Amino acid sequence: MRPSQILRSDEIPIGKYGHYLNKDTWGHLGCILPQKGINTYQLSPNRQNILAGAANDAVFNTWRRFSKQVLYWAPPLLAAYYAMDWAMKRNEYLNSKAGRAETKGN
């Protein structure tokens, strides 16, 4: 086969793995042989139940995600709560009459 025959044909080979670009149909990439082993299926939109099992999946997916993450955020949250509670009670005590008397005496 002469190189000029390739240039005059409808398909121009691109690359080294047998991919072709069809000259006549711009934007339709593909090879000269039909694809094998590709199955496509369609279902009419009015035959689909798009929310089938959504509520059930949402409950169990939420529980699964919560149970895997709770040990990362619960202990620091509890520690911060108890530290803040202690600080507020200590501040209230130190600003009371008994607290001022205690700190003034030292």
Side-chain angles (χ1 to χ4, degrees):
M1 179 183 229
R2 296 185 312 253
S4 59
Q5 280 182 318
I6 293 175
L7 294 176
R8 279 188 254 138
S9 67
D10 288 340
E11 289 86 16
I12 301 172
I14 297 175
K16 61 181 182 177
Y17 295 110
H19 296 283
Y20 290 87
L21 173 65
N22 297 336
K23 288 192 319 187
D24 297 333
T25 55
W26 171 252
H28 293 78
L29 300 176
C31 63
I32 55 176
L33 298 175
Q35 295 290 320
K36 293 182 181 178
I38 299 175
N39 297 327
T40 58
Y41 300 96
Q42 272 179 295
L43 184 64
S44 174
N46 60 355
R47 300 286 296 175
Q48 296 179 11
N49 186 0
I50 57 173
L51 294 177
N56 186 36
D57 292 344
V59 169
F60 290 110
N61 190 35
T62 302
W63 175 253
R64 177 186 58 82
R65 292 175 67 187
F66 172 79
S67 65
K68 289 190 182 220
Q69 295 292 322
V70 71
L71 292 177
Y72 289 108
W73 57 265
L77 185 71
L78 289 173
Y81 174 78
Y82 284 118
M84 191 69 178
D85 186 48
W86 172 83
M88 288 174 62
K89 287 180 181 177
R90 182 73 177 156
N91 184 42
E92 188 176 324
Y93 171 73
L94 289 176
N95 286 321
S96 68
K97 190 173 186 180
R100 287 180 187 264
E102 180 186 325
T103 56
K104 197 176 211 182
N106 290 336

